Amino acid sequence: MNNPSLRIIPLGGVEEIGLNCTVFEYGGEIIVIDAGLMFPDDEMPGVDFVVPDFTYLRENAGNIRGIIITHGHEDHTGGLPFLLRETSEEIPVYGTPLTIGMIKEKLREYHLEPPLIPVKPREEVRLGPYEIEFVRVTHSVVDGVGIGIRTPRGLIVHTGDFKVDPTPVDGELLDFRRFSEFGDNGTLLLLSDSTNAEKGGFTFSEKEVMRAFESIFSSARGRIIIATFASNIHRIQQIVDVSARHGRKVSLCGKSIVTNADIALRLGYLKMPENTWLRLDQILRLPDEEVVIVTTGSQGEPMSVLSRIATDEHKSIKIREGDTVILSSKMIPGNERSIGKIINHLFRRGADVIYEKVSEVHVSGHASKEELKLMLNLVRPEYFMPVHGEYRHLVYHSHLGRKVGIPDENIFIMHDGEVLEIDSGGARKNGTVPSGRVFIDGKGDIEDMVLRDRRRLAHDGVLIVIMAMEKTSGRISSGPDLVSRGFIPEEESEGFLDGAREVILNILGTLEPEVIQDISLLKARIRGGLKKYIYKAINRRPMILPIVFEI
Ligand SMILES: [Zn+2]
Ligand SMILES: [Zn+2]
């Protein structure tokens, strides 16, 4: 093969928001951009997250020259441990310093130590036939980049996740010049972020959030509790700055947010005035008007700090009259119901709650239509592949491509696993490679969900909890009755089940009536409590199925 074709294969990220992972292959040599996860929806009980099917990369593991990560969001990094496990721990991983810092922390949890190579924007890396350049973009995570890939067939540009923020918090603008040079020098193919392709106009600058914060901080008299994404260092920076201006201290609450802030602080991406960051026990001793607590759980996750605060189950933070709670993040579709419940709980306890719909406490990190057209015009690619979106996002993005003059036949809406082939005769779809979704439970095995359930039933058994609840009062009128199968010998089961019943009664006894009436939350609590009890007692993880009848 002295004139091989170039193959571009999205393994994920073109049929969903999440699972971002694209393979580039030339003359049998492979590089991979991003290896992301996706969080499960309500239809995937017991699944912690989802990663792409890496079969194709496993089968070609020896040909992978490197993995390039555009930024530290989990929909780009979360599949990396699984990709490395399935291929080789020897494959080098490239990213900007903060991205590498975040990845390193994550990989440590999985006991993986591949070569991690920090690269700065405008720096180049040579991997086999590819020359790879990092290009600064603005996004809701610090230190994000797009990628220019020079191949023997021509230049490919991948934007990564981006928006065009003219006033970024750290002053690091999108590198317009480099993107337009890519256009001047001729770009073969552009892959661009489609998340907000349905939205007209421009996305607001991250700094707009500051205005909302300023007005909330000026009028709040009590404590301020803010929930946001753990990776949003710019948001945390703005919270720190506005707090300092209003004479408040900040405490970060929750493991992921503390870890990320630590890394960002160490690498100089987050700046904290001295004595601003306090431990939770320290800050709770201050007068209310000096307190800001930053935490996660803005998506209504039942086990998160915010959820515990909202349902009065957090051991040290109790909501009281005068508290202001800000949900500074997008309500991700599918999570609205659980977020709504948390907001209701918080209002019931006397807090003032401020969220996306009522104030500008969140702006998106993704480009809207005008910015997307700007990017298309800067890079002026011959071929265009919209990525990072569900089908409708890709379709909208393709319309924008057409508007700026890319011929229809040069725009490719792909499916996960589909191959785009480019050679001297042009570009075309040509076949597929194995693709799909793999369900992950904890850090455990990679298996198809049905198999996982079967295995779990076979090896770990099942514990069924049945009870009946009065709809109006939330009183448990019958049960809990417990049935176990397959994980504890008959003769030992009585004492064990008594203990489990006690755990449930304890949980029920400490819950507020409105939590008890919230069946999904109630089930989550029961599952959580039993999981701990069973693991401690017999070191097993049976499937736990709480069944609650409303009467
Ligand atoms: Zn992102
Ligand atoms: Zn993303």
Side-chain angles (χ1 to χ4, degrees):
M1 276 204 305
N2 43 16
N3 206 357
S5 63
L6 174 65
R7 284 154 49 93
I8 299 104
I9 314 163
L11 289 183
V14 291
E15 293 183 43
E16 58 272 302
I17 304 267
L19 304 182
N20 296 293
C21 182
T22 312
V23 177
F24 299 81
E25 193 173 4
Y26 180 86
E29 301 201 62
I30 289 176
I31 54 168
V32 182
I33 293 192
D34 290 333
L37 59 66
M38 187 166 75
F39 290 103
D41 56 34
D42 288 349
E43 284 151 37
M44 309 174 192
V47 172
D48 289 320
F49 52 90
V50 184
V51 300
D53 183 334
F54 292 123
T55 302
Y56 186 69
L57 291 171
R58 186 177 65 238
E59 286 170 353
N60 294 284
N63 302 335
I64 306 174
R65 299 287 161 259
I67 302 167
I68 296 140
I69 306 290
T70 56
H71 65 287
H73 277 152
E74 293 202 86
D75 60 323
H76 300 258
T77 64
L80 187 57
F82 303 92
L83 174 55
L84 290 169
R85 258 192 210 165
E86 280 200 63
T87 53
S88 156
E89 221 184 305
E90 307 295 312
I91 299 171
V93 180
Y94 300 82
T96 54
L98 182 68
T99 307
I100 290 291
M102 285 170 150
I103 291 171
K104 193 188 230 167
E105 204 60 44
K106 174 104 307 178
L107 291 179
R108 190 174 304 162
E109 290 172 28
Y110 289 85
H111 310 291
L112 288 164
E113 287 182 1
L116 295 174
I117 298 149
V119 183
K120 294 222 172 83
R122 292 226 175 189
E123 275 182 16
E124 284 185 26
V125 179
R126 175 143 206 129
L127 293 174
Y130 309 96
E131 256 173 59
I132 293 145
E133 180 181 343
F134 284 29
V135 189
R136 169 67 67 219
V137 293
T138 39
H139 182 44
S140 48
V141 68
V142 182
D143 220 8
V145 286
I147 311 289
I149 310 164
R150 256 174 287 277
T151 77
R153 284 256 154 248
L155 175 69
I156 299 174
V157 177
H158 190 312
T159 63
D161 290 9
F162 81 103
K163 69 197 250 185
V164 180
D165 191 338
T167 55
V169 173
D170 57 5
E172 290 270 353
L173 290 166
L174 182 132
D175 194 342
F176 291 94
R177 209 171 125 200
R178 200 70 192 114
F179 280 110
S180 86
E181 280 166 3
F182 287 154
D184 293 343
N185 299 337
T187 297
L188 182 65
L189 171 71
L190 172 69
L191 298 89
S192 181
D193 175 3
S194 311
T195 316
N196 277 349
E198 296 167 304
K199 290 202 182 127
F202 287 86
T203 303
F204 280 133
S205 168
E206 172 66 28
K207 274 210 178 140
E208 291 298 315
V209 174
M210 185 57 103
R211 276 216 288 223
F213 281 164
E214 276 290 350
S215 100
I216 296 165
F217 274 63
S218 310
S219 57
R221 284 180 305 280
R223 302 179 299 182
I224 298 176
I225 297 166
I226 307 178
T228 189
F229 287 121
S231 60
N232 199 335
I233 300 299
H234 276 155
R235 197 63 55 81
I236 296 170
Q237 181 71 63
Q238 301 211 83
I239 294 168
V240 167
D241 293 348
V242 71
S243 301
R245 275 204 294 282
H246 288 263
R248 288 176 182 261
K249 306 286 187 199
V250 177
S251 184
L252 304 178
C253 189
K255 183 172 164 280
S256 53
I257 208 159
V258 171
T259 309
N260 282 337
D262 254 332
I263 298 167
L265 205 56
R266 211 166 51 229
L267 295 173
Y269 291 91
L270 178 64
K271 298 186 175 62
M272 285 261 192
E274 211 150 327
N275 303 322
T276 305
W277 186 354
L278 300 185
R279 285 199 321 267
L280 190 60
D281 60 310
Q282 295 171 317
I283 205 162
L284 290 176
R285 273 184 250 130
L286 296 179
D288 284 1
E289 66 273 15
E290 290 175 25
V291 176
V292 174
I293 295 164
V294 185
T295 183
T296 52
S298 60
Q299 296 308 309
E301 304 93 320
M303 303 313 278
S304 67
V305 177
L306 187 68
S307 164
R308 287 177 181 282
I309 294 174
T311 53
D312 207 22
E313 284 170 62
H314 194 275
K315 56 183 185 307
S316 41
I317 306 171
K318 304 283 174 199
I319 290 291
R320 51 180 176 252
E321 203 79 37
D323 287 342
T324 302
V325 181
I326 306 172
L327 274 66
S328 180
S329 63
K330 180 185 166 63
M331 287 197 188
I332 293 178
N335 297 341
E336 289 103 336
R337 250 170 62 90
S338 12
I339 301 171
K341 282 182 201 162
I342 298 238
I343 294 174
N344 290 336
H345 285 311
L346 290 165
F347 270 125
R348 263 190 219 112
R349 296 186 192 287
D352 190 9
V353 193
I354 297 163
Y355 45 100
E356 195 188 19
K357 285 187 188 129
V358 298
S359 168
E360 297 289 340
V361 286
H362 173 69
V363 295
S364 171
H366 299 274
S368 302
K369 281 183 179 174
E370 297 308 315
E371 297 152 87
L372 294 173
K373 280 193 266 179
L374 178 63
M375 180 59 81
L376 281 157
N377 280 326
L378 286 173
V379 177
R380 285 162 285 153
E382 186 175 350
Y383 300 107
F384 173 42
M385 184 194 291
V387 294
H388 205 284
E390 295 176 23
Y391 191 69
R392 66 177 193 283
H393 302 122
L394 308 185
V395 169
Y396 268 100
H397 205 175
S398 74
H399 294 168
L400 300 177
R402 210 171 303 146
K403 263 190 193 152
V404 303
I406 301 174
D408 233 356
E409 61 274 19
N410 286 11
I411 300 175
F412 294 92
I413 294 183
M414 306 292 284
H415 292 287
D416 292 337
E418 248 183 335
V419 179
L420 180 71
E421 189 176 65
I422 307 180
D423 57 23
S424 48
R428 75 202 68 84
K429 289 186 180 182
N430 187 5
T432 56
V433 305
S435 71
R437 296 175 178 185
V438 174
F439 300 94
I440 307 284
D441 177 20
K443 295 193 175 93
D445 308 319
I446 300 180
E447 278 166 285
D448 173 80
M449 178 142 77
V450 177
L451 285 178
R452 189 188 61 84
D453 280 356
R454 282 193 200 155
R455 175 189 62 91
R456 215 152 146 191
L457 287 169
H459 290 104
D460 298 334
V462 57
L463 177 66
I464 302 171
V465 181
I466 306 160
M467 53 194 199
M469 186 182 78
E470 283 173 20
K471 216 177 204 162
T472 42
S473 63
R475 206 175 66 83
I476 300 301
S477 55
S478 157
D481 293 323
L482 286 93
V483 182
S484 80
R485 285 288 179 276
F487 68 95
I488 188 154
E490 190 73 40
E491 59 275 16
E492 291 166 34
S493 77
E494 203 170 311
F496 170 80
L497 290 180
D498 284 344
R501 195 170 295 113
E502 209 159 293
V503 170
I504 301 170
L505 290 175
N506 275 336
I507 292 171
L508 293 173
T510 54
L511 289 178
E512 298 284 318
E514 70 248 33
V515 179
I516 296 186
Q517 273 167 305
D518 182 341
I519 293 208
S520 60
L521 205 54
L522 175 65
K523 285 182 182 171
R525 294 283 195 270
I526 290 176
R527 220 180 277 129
L530 286 177
K531 208 169 165 182
K532 259 189 238 158
Y533 164 76
I534 298 168
Y535 192 71
K536 219 165 147 186
I538 54 170
N539 202 8
R540 298 290 289 272
R541 295 183 190 279
M543 182 179 282
I544 300 166
L545 292 176
I547 300 167
V548 183
F549 295 103
E550 279 182 295
I551 53 171

